[in-house]
Amino acid sequence: MKTILLVGVGNELRADDGLGIKFVEDFKYDQIEKIVINYPDFDLIDKIVKFDMVIFVDASLDVDCFSFEKMESVEKLSSFSHHISLENIFSLAKYYNSNLEGYILKIRGYDFSWKNELSSECIKNMNKAIEFLKNFIDRKIKL
């Protein structure tokens, strides 16, 4: 059976920016591991390489409801050590575990102001994305 790590990314103090964390807290699935982070950093690589698959969940302004994309290794890594992208983290982890599969689930956020709750529109998108991801994992685990 595939081992899967679900990583929620976000800042709970910035309204919809906290949706990656809320998603992971609300996502109920026995066969996966879950962690939450505020931002990607190099320490995350050690956790990711132990799994067959990693799925990042993050808020986005660039999608209508949500998008789900397979990640590919990037050829050129960021030279900045204080800001590293999820794609760079995945690429470095894949260097140590060449069989690692990576996906990013971007969910539309609307309100990024300083408050500790998700907008109602964001919650609707998150609930649709939860159902989608459960179905995706069901199919992957059966392989």
Side-chain angles (χ1 to χ4, degrees), residues 4 9 21 25 29 48 52 63 69 76 81 89-90 101 112 128 139:
I4 301 172
V9 182
I21 294 171
E25 290 171 352
Y29 207 101
I48 293 171
D52 299 315
V63 297
E69 300 168 7
K76 184 176 180 188
S81 62
I89 292 291
F90 172 73
E101 288 181 67
F112 293 85
K128 290 176 185 175
R139 289 190 311 271

Side-chain angles (χ1 to χ4, degrees), residues 21-33:
I21 294 171
K22 179 72 170 148
F23 185 100
V24 168
E25 290 171 352
D26 288 0
F27 193 79
K28 307 295 185 230
Y29 207 101
D30 292 335
Q31 292 97 337
I32 65 168
E33 297 284 327

Side-chain angles (χ1 to χ4, degrees), residues 38-52:
N38 294 114
Y39 54 86
D41 64 25
F42 291 104
D43 294 336
L44 187 55
I45 296 166
D46 287 336
K47 296 176 179 114
I48 293 171
V49 297
K50 299 171 187 164
F51 291 86
D52 299 315

Side-chain angles (χ1 to χ4, degrees), residues 5 7 35 37-50 56 74 76-96 100:
L5 177 64
V7 181
I35 62 172
I37 60 172
N38 294 114
Y39 54 86
D41 64 25
F42 291 104
D43 294 336
L44 187 55
I45 296 166
D46 287 336
K47 296 176 179 114
I48 293 171
V49 297
K50 299 171 187 164
F56 297 102
V74 294
K76 184 176 180 188
L77 298 176
S78 170
S79 59
F80 298 104
S81 62
H82 293 290
H83 178 73
I84 186 163
S85 70
L86 293 172
E87 291 80 5
N88 285 173
I89 292 291
F90 172 73
S91 296
L92 290 167
K94 192 157 176 77
Y95 176 79
Y96 295 103
L100 180 66

